[in-house]
Amino acid sequence: MRRSGGPDEPPLVLTELATGALRLAAVSRGALAVGLTPGLTLADARARIPRLVTIEHDPAADDALLELMAEDCERWTPLVALDPPHGLLLDITGCAHLFGDEAALRHRVLRRFRRAGFTVNATVAGTPDAARALARFGRAAVVPTGGEAAAARSLPVAALELPDETHVALRRAGLKRLADLMDRPSRPLSARFGAQLATRLNRVLGREDRRITPLRALPPCFVEQNFPEPLADPEDVFRVLRQLVEHAAKTMEGRGEGGRVFEASFFPSDGGVRRSRVETGRPSRDAKSILRLFREKLDTAPFDPGFGFDLIRLAVPVAEPLAATQPQLDGKALEDGELASLVDRLAARFGAARVLRFSAVDTHDPSRSEKLVPATAALPDGASWPEPEPGEPPLRPLQLFEPPLQVSVVAEVPDGPPAGFRWRRVFHHVVRVEGPERIAPEWWRDPDRPARDYYRVEDREGRRFWLFRTGLYGEAPETNWYLHGLFA
Amino acid sequence: MTSAYAELVAATNFSFLRGAAHPQQMLQTAMLLGQTGLGIADRNTVAGVVRAYSALKQLQEDGTPPIQKVREGSGPGEYAFIEHPIKGDLEVPKEELKRLAKTFKLVVGARLVFADGTPDIVTYPTDRTGWGRLCRLLTTGNRRARKGACTLYLDDLLADAADLLLIVMPERRLDGLGRTLAQAREATPGAIWLGAAMHRRGDDRRRLLRLKALAEEARVPLLAVNNVLYDTPEARDLQDIVTCIREGVTLAAAGRRLEANAERHLKPPEEMARLFRDAPEAVAETQDFLARTDFSLDQLRYHYPDEPVPLGYTAQSWLETLVWRRASFLYPNGLSRKVERLLKEELALIKELDIARYFLTIHDIVRVAEDKGILCQGRGSAANSAVCYVLGITAADPAKHDLLFARFISSQRREPPDIDVDFEHERREEIIQHIYERYGRERAGIAATVIHYRPRSAMREVGKVLGLTADVTARLASTQWGSWGNEIVDEHVRQAGVDPANPEIRRALNLASRLLGFPRHLSQHVGGFVLARGRLDEVVPIGNAAMPDRTFIEWDKDDIDALRLMKVDVLALGMLTCIRKAFELLKRYEGIDLKLNGFDPDGSDDRFKVYEMLQEADSLGVFQVESRAQMNMLPRLKPKEFYDLVIEVALVRPGPIQGDMVHPYLRRRNGLEEVVYPAPAPEHGHKNELFDVLHRTLGVPLFQEQAMRLAMVAAKFTDGDANGLRRAMATFRNVGTIHTFETKMIAGMVRRGYDPDFAKRCFEQIKGFGSYGFPESHAVSFANLVYVSSWLKCYHPAIFACALLNSQPMGFYAPAQIVRDAEAHGVEVRSVDINHSAYDCTLELCQDGALALRLGFRQVDGFSRAEGERLAQARGMGFASVEELATRGKLPAHSLRRLADADAFRSLGLDRRDALWAVRRLPDDGPLPLWAAADARELGDEPEARLPPMALGEHVAADYQTLRLSLKAHPMEILRPLFRRERIITSAELAALGHGAWARHAGVVLVRQRPGNGKAIFITLEDEAGITNVVMWESTFERFRREAMSARLLLVEGRVQKSPEGIVHLMAERAFDRTEELKRLSENHDPTIEISRADEVLRPQPPRQQATHPRNVRILPKSRDFH
């Protein structure tokens, strides 16, 4: 958890619903200090510390943060793997020398994250499992090559991360440290605690390696540029980008390929990664047009280098053989997919918030029955337009006035239908009427609004209107009539 | 225009999560609107109709609106009350209400909702036969579905729809309606209507015309209804809330699942006439419909079952025969005149009321229990009956006690008798199944319990629906902890850290308090049986319970009372199990054969030692008097005879405590206060009138019946007045009526010459009583068990401890304390061992002839009874090795590990660690045990394991983890050197200090309690020397809340308080959480110190599993809390 307030701040906890109760999912240092631990029920915690600040635990946000940190680590190595819930594995094979040595790299990583307010621990070791165990349960910084076993000797058996049952059994047997296990023949141990014990032990001791799955697959082609001083001028950034694109184009040319997707990653010195992605309709290695796409993209979204970038990388995640033929250019039939891609293109150009569509809202209130949503967004669950009842005339007009227009109406008191009404200085004689359809307000939204009695009316000329009255004569302080819509 | 109208399609809140008004409210509102009648029809159930019926009866009789009774607990008098005052400002005079009620017609039925797409059909019986048919129909649907559901098809109804009136309720779309009408008309010509409602949905008039045409075509009359869901339009919001709860959505997302408007309420007849001006005949039809039904619930004439009467006898003559026969057997030296007179009087009254069958039925059940060797004992007011005693139903001997038969049955009250019988908790199911077997499922059913929205659940659901965060909702819910307050107090809300002025919060609080008392679903009562001579399913629908082989009826105890059906409560009591087990052990090891009513607490010579033991508060494990509060009371009360135990049981109860009766009683008892009985002026009555009521409790009313008698005798309250007073007391939290009674009672007493001050004091006492008093007869029944269990503990501590352990879970204390207490009483306790233990705890004969207690496998966590029994059976001459146990004992590997974990291999010379090492080597599961053994032999030579020895502390910690107790040492004993250095003293040393001495004391926390007013917190600490009671005042608690709430090992500093009777308390001034020290026992194992079942921090909810392995963490189970 990030910075928790000063000593006077009330303890902060994150809560989640687990096994039927609201429980603490994570606690701040301050909360830990007063004895609150994850897993405790919130009610219990509050009984001990009534002044408790709670925030709902958001695992998705945690994952996103971890991913962000992982991306940030790509400045040191392209092979970064997530080790949820709060670990990262960096394969620094062949990268360490770029930053001095392994110790220097570790130092940099720690410094960077600590400065950002994280509590982190890091260990460099020969295998991911050894590094993980040592980082989580030990104190080792950089384990010399082949020294994993020696470093792991003093780790508690918990470092094997075996099932709880096995863990308790090991401790009941008096086997508390990995040394206790290492110094014994493995067969009697495996017979009692399962084959898993040997596997885990071998991995933690660095005797067995496993591959990590990096967060982002290594693209078929990527080029990057490091800067000793952060690069802040946008023009400089573009210049570097051009060099990178040209470089990549040359590489692809050698392979007889063209890129379909180009992705530029900008690593700001203050953390976080900004990415920009452009796609081309067909494989391309034309540096000029690719750059134009980037420029279009980067111009529309305000591009703020902040304190500057210390690394820019260009990757070509999707590359295809450069086709000799062009796709048809008749452009006549806009297929379904093409509408979607038009929306995508428009949204890319004007911003998702500007390309909108109507979505149904499940409510009785006609003024709220639809809303505009970004066309690219998924439709909210359960939103569907009401099915018209077979054999029934349309109950809702095509055109709605928002807000409704006040009109003067002649009607029988207290709740008779309109006999005629005046709208825009024209008096309409009502010849047909159906109603009332009484729609009560959503009391939790606007408790004071009166109910509306809607009438569908037809005047002498055959025009159809949707009128409503608010308030009843004699009951409400005042009664008003409104025109809410016109039927076709 | 005068247009008579009656709403015939009204759903109450027993249409669960659909209706939004109580049946009582619905009835009142319909009446006050001037409707001529009301038809209540809930969704496939008749669960709510009795409430409307009782409400109407009450309005007819005395013109007061009914009060709803909601059960709060299982004890007598544990009720909450919800009032249904007349809505609106208008004050309707009683006489007017009475008049309205007399002419009002209530018809009851059900709204049948079909599973085959047929529109709903509201069904009312025309007469008693029709009612039976409807009940059977619903029973069919219920029995077909799982609990709480009802699966009905139109064919079920049409197969036999005679004597039923049907209202077909059209759905939104009308296609297919014509066919349904035609089908129904064919089945019951002339008894079918088409319901039409005008809900202002836009097309109302057009639709009405279409319905009219359809009705004409089908030749059925059109009936005006409003299909109501609530009584007044203001309830729309609540109806929306319950809809959301039902659909599991928030208000914001509910959309069109809610009603568009608030039209589904009861409307005045004129309004209905106006709405139906296009079809006035439909409104008039409601009156014809009303005239067609002739059924009222009072026609459910009830007949007691008559099996138990042999040929040639009437029920009465057989009962008399039985009574006299058994009486001569019970009193071999002849009946005393008192008993004979009592029996004669009772039998005469039983004859007069014609309830002999009832007694025979209960006698029959009790006899079956006796045959099966199941202990049972009647509780409650039945213990006032000599007949019940003679029949073996109750244990209160009329020869020794003054029984008030009138409390049980009186010719005036005309209530059915109510006998509750406790059975052994482990074997009650046998009795239940016997009853089903004997009477059949058509004739026997368990009563329902209506599960109501309580403060917590109401707040939780409302919070969810309104979209409040889980945290705020939980906080609001917790403000109501344990109380049923009808109003939610701002102060509580603020204390929970929520702003009551916030409109969102206000709304949530308002809705939640209105939701209080709404039924949520039906559940089965713990053991209230209803038995009938004829088919029970023609009286009330029967449905499936969640438990297999259980069925229950749709009405709860109050409904059954209101309709005067016969019921018998088959309850479970853990202490009876314990006593039976102790009796068996006594017979086997000591050759003593005892019976539950074979004790003479006032005559036998061995009684003195028993009372001596109780006077010293040495009562751990004893029935009822083992709680901390009771243990404090015992040395003050110093019970010397049986009636003292009766008082002891009743005294430490919320009623006497809140009514401040305890101290006056104790003062009088100890001679510090004069016992006086004020008398009325001579011309108004006998000077002994109060003496008669109160002399047995030294002038202080302690029992429920005394409070009422006091009002009746001293202030000449009538029966009706007393009942009214009882009701007013129960609800005095929020009504003004109590004051009328106050004036009346004081005036009555003063008028009769009592001192006004005394009158006032009497009233205050009664008021404090509320409804929480204990009936005397109930206390007598319980006191008998107190004596029996005390006797066992006193004379046979090993047997008592053994029986107590084998009856767990029950009582206040965990096995660790029971074992510790047994050891303190000189019992040798032996550890669980594969070569000596059975599943249950057993007794072993020591060299010196004493009995030692051998712990059984039941103490081993997670070890099943079947495995334990298999092991004991296979043991033969004993197991010589682990391999032998594995092969012959046929235990799976994980069970062997559990045994090894529990250190049960000592007889093989293996301690816990060695045993585990040996056992874990056996293959997990898979191969047959034979193979496993063969394997083991093949793998025979293995290098020496050289495991480090296990330290004592580690053993103790592991003992607590696996057995929840340790015979090796108390954790505090191991930590003592450490504490000794800090000058922390043991409980024994603390007890030896004088009053006012300063002390530092530490112990593991056993119980934390915060009684009644919450001014003090009581914490019980245990160390190797015993138990210490710590009292922490609220102000101290607020400072040390964290320590008090979370510590498992608590260090307390404070002063010793010693009462003249020698009761020692440590008044805490500071507290420290020393839980960390427990880790010193073993860095590997956290000892699990089980908190008592009485702990209030822990109790309301069962311990829940933690995120990690429970065995690792289950130190003190976590829970919700008091605030």
Short mmCIF file of all heavy atoms in Angstrom, two decimals, chain A residues 87-130:
data_model
loop_
_atom_site.label_atom_id
_atom_site.label_comp_id
_atom_site.label_asym_id
_atom_site.label_seq_id
_atom_site.Cartn_x
_atom_site.Cartn_y
_atom_site.Cartn_z
N GLY A 87 4.29 -9.19 -6.99
CA GLY A 87 5.68 -9.44 -7.36
C GLY A 87 5.92 -9.23 -8.85
O GLY A 87 5.00 -9.27 -9.66
N LEU A 88 7.16 -8.95 -9.15
CA LEU A 88 7.55 -8.83 -10.56
C LEU A 88 8.80 -9.67 -10.73
O LEU A 88 9.67 -9.72 -9.87
CB LEU A 88 7.88 -7.38 -10.93
CG LEU A 88 6.73 -6.38 -10.96
CD1 LEU A 88 7.25 -4.99 -11.25
CD2 LEU A 88 5.69 -6.78 -11.99
N LEU A 89 8.90 -10.34 -11.86
CA LEU A 89 10.10 -11.10 -12.19
C LEU A 89 10.75 -10.46 -13.40
O LEU A 89 10.10 -10.28 -14.43
CB LEU A 89 9.74 -12.56 -12.48
CG LEU A 89 9.25 -13.37 -11.28
CD1 LEU A 89 8.70 -14.71 -11.75
CD2 LEU A 89 10.38 -13.59 -10.29
N LEU A 90 11.99 -10.11 -13.26
CA LEU A 90 12.70 -9.48 -14.37
C LEU A 90 13.81 -10.43 -14.81
O LEU A 90 14.64 -10.84 -14.00
CB LEU A 90 13.34 -8.16 -13.92
CG LEU A 90 12.48 -6.89 -13.94
CD1 LEU A 90 11.30 -7.02 -13.01
CD2 LEU A 90 13.32 -5.69 -13.56
N ASP A 91 13.78 -10.80 -16.06
CA ASP A 91 14.88 -11.59 -16.59
C ASP A 91 15.94 -10.60 -17.08
O ASP A 91 15.75 -9.93 -18.10
CB ASP A 91 14.39 -12.48 -17.75
CG ASP A 91 15.48 -13.42 -18.21
OD1 ASP A 91 16.66 -13.21 -17.83
OD2 ASP A 91 15.17 -14.37 -18.96
N ILE A 92 17.04 -10.48 -16.31
CA ILE A 92 18.03 -9.45 -16.67
C ILE A 92 19.25 -10.06 -17.35
O ILE A 92 20.29 -9.43 -17.44
CB ILE A 92 18.45 -8.64 -15.43
CG1 ILE A 92 18.99 -9.57 -14.34
CG2 ILE A 92 17.30 -7.83 -14.89
CD1 ILE A 92 19.70 -8.81 -13.23
N THR A 93 19.07 -11.31 -17.80
CA THR A 93 20.18 -11.94 -18.51
C THR A 93 20.64 -11.03 -19.65
O THR A 93 19.82 -10.64 -20.49
CB THR A 93 19.73 -13.30 -19.09
OG1 THR A 93 18.96 -13.96 -18.09
CG2 THR A 93 20.91 -14.13 -19.50
N GLY A 94 21.86 -10.68 -19.64
CA GLY A 94 22.41 -9.89 -20.74
C GLY A 94 22.07 -8.42 -20.68
O GLY A 94 22.43 -7.66 -21.57
N CYS A 95 21.34 -7.98 -19.66
CA CYS A 95 20.98 -6.56 -19.58
C CYS A 95 21.77 -5.83 -18.51
O CYS A 95 21.96 -4.61 -18.59
CB CYS A 95 19.49 -6.40 -19.24
SG CYS A 95 18.42 -7.13 -20.45
N ALA A 96 22.18 -6.61 -17.51
CA ALA A 96 22.74 -5.98 -16.33
C ALA A 96 23.93 -5.09 -16.66
O ALA A 96 24.07 -3.99 -16.11
CB ALA A 96 23.14 -7.04 -15.30
N HIS A 97 24.76 -5.54 -17.60
CA HIS A 97 25.97 -4.76 -17.87
C HIS A 97 25.65 -3.38 -18.40
O HIS A 97 26.44 -2.47 -18.29
CB HIS A 97 26.88 -5.52 -18.83
CG HIS A 97 26.30 -5.59 -20.22
ND1 HIS A 97 25.36 -6.52 -20.59
CD2 HIS A 97 26.51 -4.80 -21.31
CE1 HIS A 97 25.03 -6.31 -21.84
NE2 HIS A 97 25.69 -5.27 -22.30
N LEU A 98 24.47 -3.21 -19.01
CA LEU A 98 24.10 -1.90 -19.54
C LEU A 98 23.99 -0.87 -18.43
O LEU A 98 24.01 0.32 -18.66
CB LEU A 98 22.76 -1.98 -20.27
CG LEU A 98 22.74 -2.89 -21.49
CD1 LEU A 98 21.32 -2.98 -22.04
CD2 LEU A 98 23.69 -2.36 -22.56
N PHE A 99 23.77 -1.36 -17.20
CA PHE A 99 23.56 -0.44 -16.09
C PHE A 99 24.68 -0.56 -15.07
O PHE A 99 24.49 -0.28 -13.90
CB PHE A 99 22.20 -0.72 -15.43
CG PHE A 99 21.07 -0.69 -16.42
CD1 PHE A 99 20.66 -1.86 -17.05
CD2 PHE A 99 20.45 0.51 -16.76
CE1 PHE A 99 19.64 -1.83 -17.97
CE2 PHE A 99 19.43 0.53 -17.69
CZ PHE A 99 19.02 -0.64 -18.30
N GLY A 100 25.81 -1.06 -15.48
CA GLY A 100 26.89 -1.30 -14.55
C GLY A 100 26.99 -2.80 -14.33
O GLY A 100 27.37 -3.54 -15.22
N ASP A 101 26.55 -3.22 -13.15
CA ASP A 101 26.50 -4.66 -12.93
C ASP A 101 25.18 -5.00 -12.26
O ASP A 101 24.29 -4.15 -12.13
CB ASP A 101 27.69 -5.12 -12.07
CG ASP A 101 27.73 -4.38 -10.74
OD1 ASP A 101 26.77 -3.60 -10.47
OD2 ASP A 101 28.69 -4.56 -9.99
N GLU A 102 25.01 -6.24 -11.84
CA GLU A 102 23.73 -6.68 -11.28
C GLU A 102 23.37 -5.87 -10.03
O GLU A 102 22.22 -5.46 -9.85
CB GLU A 102 23.80 -8.18 -10.94
CG GLU A 102 23.79 -9.03 -12.18
CD GLU A 102 24.06 -10.50 -11.89
OE1 GLU A 102 24.57 -10.79 -10.79
OE2 GLU A 102 23.77 -11.33 -12.75
N ALA A 103 24.39 -5.64 -9.19
CA ALA A 103 24.11 -4.89 -7.97
C ALA A 103 23.65 -3.48 -8.29
O ALA A 103 22.72 -2.95 -7.68
CB ALA A 103 25.35 -4.86 -7.09
N ALA A 104 24.29 -2.89 -9.28
CA ALA A 104 23.91 -1.52 -9.65
C ALA A 104 22.49 -1.50 -10.22
O ALA A 104 21.70 -0.59 -9.91
CB ALA A 104 24.90 -0.98 -10.68
N LEU A 105 22.18 -2.49 -11.02
CA LEU A 105 20.84 -2.54 -11.60
C LEU A 105 19.81 -2.70 -10.48
O LEU A 105 18.78 -2.01 -10.45
CB LEU A 105 20.74 -3.70 -12.59
CG LEU A 105 19.34 -3.95 -13.17
CD1 LEU A 105 18.77 -2.69 -13.82
CD2 LEU A 105 19.36 -5.07 -14.20
N ARG A 106 20.09 -3.62 -9.55
CA ARG A 106 19.16 -3.83 -8.43
C ARG A 106 18.98 -2.52 -7.66
O ARG A 106 17.86 -2.14 -7.31
CB ARG A 106 19.73 -4.90 -7.51
CG ARG A 106 18.93 -5.09 -6.23
CD ARG A 106 19.47 -6.21 -5.39
NE ARG A 106 18.72 -6.33 -4.14
CZ ARG A 106 18.98 -5.63 -3.05
NH1 ARG A 106 20.00 -4.78 -3.02
NH2 ARG A 106 18.24 -5.77 -1.97
N HIS A 107 20.07 -1.85 -7.45
CA HIS A 107 20.04 -0.61 -6.73
C HIS A 107 19.13 0.40 -7.44
O HIS A 107 18.30 1.07 -6.82
CB HIS A 107 21.46 -0.07 -6.59
CG HIS A 107 21.52 1.16 -5.73
ND1 HIS A 107 21.21 1.16 -4.39
CD2 HIS A 107 21.84 2.45 -6.04
CE1 HIS A 107 21.33 2.37 -3.92
NE2 HIS A 107 21.72 3.17 -4.89
N ARG A 108 19.32 0.47 -8.75
CA ARG A 108 18.50 1.41 -9.53
C ARG A 108 17.01 1.08 -9.41
O ARG A 108 16.18 1.96 -9.23
CB ARG A 108 18.87 1.30 -11.01
CG ARG A 108 20.01 2.16 -11.42
CD ARG A 108 20.13 2.02 -12.91
NE ARG A 108 21.10 2.97 -13.42
CZ ARG A 108 20.96 3.57 -14.59
NH1 ARG A 108 19.94 3.33 -15.35
NH2 ARG A 108 21.87 4.42 -15.00
N VAL A 109 16.70 -0.19 -9.56
CA VAL A 109 15.30 -0.60 -9.50
C VAL A 109 14.70 -0.20 -8.15
O VAL A 109 13.64 0.41 -8.07
CB VAL A 109 15.19 -2.13 -9.71
CG1 VAL A 109 13.75 -2.59 -9.45
CG2 VAL A 109 15.62 -2.51 -11.11
N LEU A 110 15.44 -0.54 -7.08
CA LEU A 110 14.93 -0.23 -5.75
C LEU A 110 14.75 1.26 -5.56
O LEU A 110 13.73 1.73 -5.05
CB LEU A 110 15.89 -0.78 -4.68
CG LEU A 110 15.90 -2.29 -4.53
CD1 LEU A 110 16.92 -2.71 -3.49
CD2 LEU A 110 14.51 -2.78 -4.11
N ARG A 111 15.76 2.01 -6.01
CA ARG A 111 15.71 3.45 -5.79
C ARG A 111 14.52 4.05 -6.51
O ARG A 111 13.78 4.87 -5.96
CB ARG A 111 17.01 4.10 -6.26
CG ARG A 111 17.17 5.52 -5.70
CD ARG A 111 18.40 6.15 -6.23
NE ARG A 111 18.43 6.07 -7.67
CZ ARG A 111 19.51 6.30 -8.41
NH1 ARG A 111 20.65 6.60 -7.84
NH2 ARG A 111 19.47 6.22 -9.72
N ARG A 112 14.34 3.59 -7.75
CA ARG A 112 13.25 4.15 -8.54
C ARG A 112 11.90 3.93 -7.86
O ARG A 112 11.07 4.83 -7.75
CB ARG A 112 13.26 3.51 -9.92
CG ARG A 112 12.27 4.13 -10.87
CD ARG A 112 12.50 3.64 -12.29
NE ARG A 112 11.41 4.10 -13.12
CZ ARG A 112 11.32 5.33 -13.61
NH1 ARG A 112 12.28 6.20 -13.38
NH2 ARG A 112 10.27 5.68 -14.34
N PHE A 113 11.65 2.70 -7.40
CA PHE A 113 10.34 2.42 -6.81
C PHE A 113 10.21 3.01 -5.41
O PHE A 113 9.13 3.45 -5.01
CB PHE A 113 10.09 0.92 -6.77
CG PHE A 113 9.72 0.36 -8.12
CD1 PHE A 113 10.41 -0.70 -8.67
CD2 PHE A 113 8.70 0.93 -8.86
CE1 PHE A 113 10.08 -1.19 -9.92
CE2 PHE A 113 8.36 0.45 -10.11
CZ PHE A 113 9.05 -0.62 -10.64
N ARG A 114 11.30 3.03 -4.68
CA ARG A 114 11.20 3.59 -3.33
C ARG A 114 10.90 5.08 -3.40
O ARG A 114 10.13 5.61 -2.61
CB ARG A 114 12.48 3.32 -2.54
CG ARG A 114 12.47 1.89 -2.01
CD ARG A 114 13.70 1.54 -1.23
NE ARG A 114 13.63 0.13 -0.86
CZ ARG A 114 14.68 -0.61 -0.58
NH1 ARG A 114 15.91 -0.07 -0.62
NH2 ARG A 114 14.54 -1.87 -0.27
N ARG A 115 11.51 5.68 -4.40
CA ARG A 115 11.25 7.12 -4.53
C ARG A 115 9.77 7.37 -4.84
O ARG A 115 9.20 8.36 -4.46
CB ARG A 115 12.12 7.70 -5.65
CG ARG A 115 12.94 8.88 -5.15
CD ARG A 115 13.54 9.58 -6.32
NE ARG A 115 14.94 9.25 -6.43
CZ ARG A 115 15.63 9.32 -7.57
NH1 ARG A 115 15.03 9.66 -8.70
NH2 ARG A 115 16.90 9.06 -7.60
N ALA A 116 9.20 6.44 -5.55
CA ALA A 116 7.78 6.59 -5.90
C ALA A 116 6.87 6.22 -4.72
O ALA A 116 5.66 6.27 -4.84
CB ALA A 116 7.45 5.73 -7.11
N GLY A 117 7.49 5.84 -3.60
CA GLY A 117 6.70 5.60 -2.41
C GLY A 117 6.34 4.15 -2.17
O GLY A 117 5.54 3.84 -1.29
N PHE A 118 6.93 3.24 -2.91
CA PHE A 118 6.62 1.83 -2.70
C PHE A 118 7.59 1.24 -1.68
O PHE A 118 8.72 1.68 -1.55
CB PHE A 118 6.76 1.05 -4.01
CG PHE A 118 5.72 1.41 -5.02
CD1 PHE A 118 6.01 2.30 -6.05
CD2 PHE A 118 4.46 0.86 -4.97
CE1 PHE A 118 5.05 2.64 -6.98
CE2 PHE A 118 3.50 1.18 -5.90
CZ PHE A 118 3.79 2.09 -6.92
N THR A 119 7.09 0.22 -1.00
CA THR A 119 7.99 -0.56 -0.16
C THR A 119 8.36 -1.78 -1.00
O THR A 119 7.49 -2.60 -1.32
CB THR A 119 7.26 -1.01 1.11
OG1 THR A 119 6.75 0.15 1.74
CG2 THR A 119 8.20 -1.76 2.03
N VAL A 120 9.62 -1.87 -1.37
CA VAL A 120 9.99 -2.98 -2.26
C VAL A 120 11.22 -3.68 -1.72
O VAL A 120 11.99 -3.15 -0.94
CB VAL A 120 10.28 -2.50 -3.71
CG1 VAL A 120 9.02 -2.12 -4.41
CG2 VAL A 120 11.27 -1.36 -3.71
N ASN A 121 11.36 -4.89 -2.18
CA ASN A 121 12.49 -5.71 -1.84
C ASN A 121 12.90 -6.41 -3.14
O ASN A 121 12.04 -6.74 -3.94
CB ASN A 121 12.09 -6.72 -0.79
CG ASN A 121 13.27 -7.11 0.07
OD1 ASN A 121 14.40 -6.67 -0.22
ND2 ASN A 121 13.03 -7.91 1.08
N ALA A 122 14.19 -6.61 -3.34
CA ALA A 122 14.60 -7.24 -4.60
C ALA A 122 15.80 -8.13 -4.36
O ALA A 122 16.66 -7.82 -3.54
CB ALA A 122 14.93 -6.19 -5.64
N THR A 123 15.82 -9.22 -5.07
CA THR A 123 16.96 -10.12 -4.99
C THR A 123 17.34 -10.54 -6.40
O THR A 123 16.46 -10.81 -7.23
CB THR A 123 16.61 -11.37 -4.15
OG1 THR A 123 16.32 -10.96 -2.83
CG2 THR A 123 17.77 -12.35 -4.14
N VAL A 124 18.63 -10.57 -6.67
CA VAL A 124 19.10 -11.09 -7.95
C VAL A 124 19.61 -12.49 -7.70
O VAL A 124 20.46 -12.71 -6.84
CB VAL A 124 20.23 -10.21 -8.51
CG1 VAL A 124 20.72 -10.76 -9.85
CG2 VAL A 124 19.77 -8.78 -8.66
N ALA A 125 19.05 -13.45 -8.43
CA ALA A 125 19.51 -14.83 -8.27
C ALA A 125 19.43 -15.55 -9.59
O ALA A 125 18.89 -15.01 -10.58
CB ALA A 125 18.64 -15.54 -7.23
N GLY A 126 19.93 -16.77 -9.60
CA GLY A 126 20.08 -17.50 -10.85
C GLY A 126 18.78 -17.98 -11.46
O GLY A 126 18.69 -18.13 -12.68
N THR A 127 17.78 -18.26 -10.64
CA THR A 127 16.51 -18.72 -11.20
C THR A 127 15.39 -17.88 -10.61
O THR A 127 15.53 -17.30 -9.52
CB THR A 127 16.25 -20.19 -10.84
OG1 THR A 127 16.09 -20.28 -9.42
CG2 THR A 127 17.38 -21.09 -11.29
N PRO A 128 14.26 -17.81 -11.32
CA PRO A 128 13.16 -16.99 -10.81
C PRO A 128 12.69 -17.44 -9.43
O PRO A 128 12.38 -16.61 -8.58
CB PRO A 128 12.05 -17.14 -11.85
CG PRO A 128 12.53 -18.09 -12.87
CD PRO A 128 13.98 -18.37 -12.65
N ASP A 129 12.61 -18.78 -9.20
CA ASP A 129 12.09 -19.24 -7.92
C ASP A 129 13.03 -18.90 -6.77
O ASP A 129 12.60 -18.55 -5.68
CB ASP A 129 11.84 -20.74 -7.97
CG ASP A 129 10.64 -21.07 -8.83
OD1 ASP A 129 9.52 -20.84 -8.37
OD2 ASP A 129 10.85 -21.47 -9.99
N ALA A 130 14.32 -19.04 -7.04
CA ALA A 130 15.29 -18.71 -6.00
C ALA A 130 15.18 -17.22 -5.67
O ALA A 130 15.13 -16.83 -4.49
CB ALA A 130 16.70 -19.05 -6.46
#
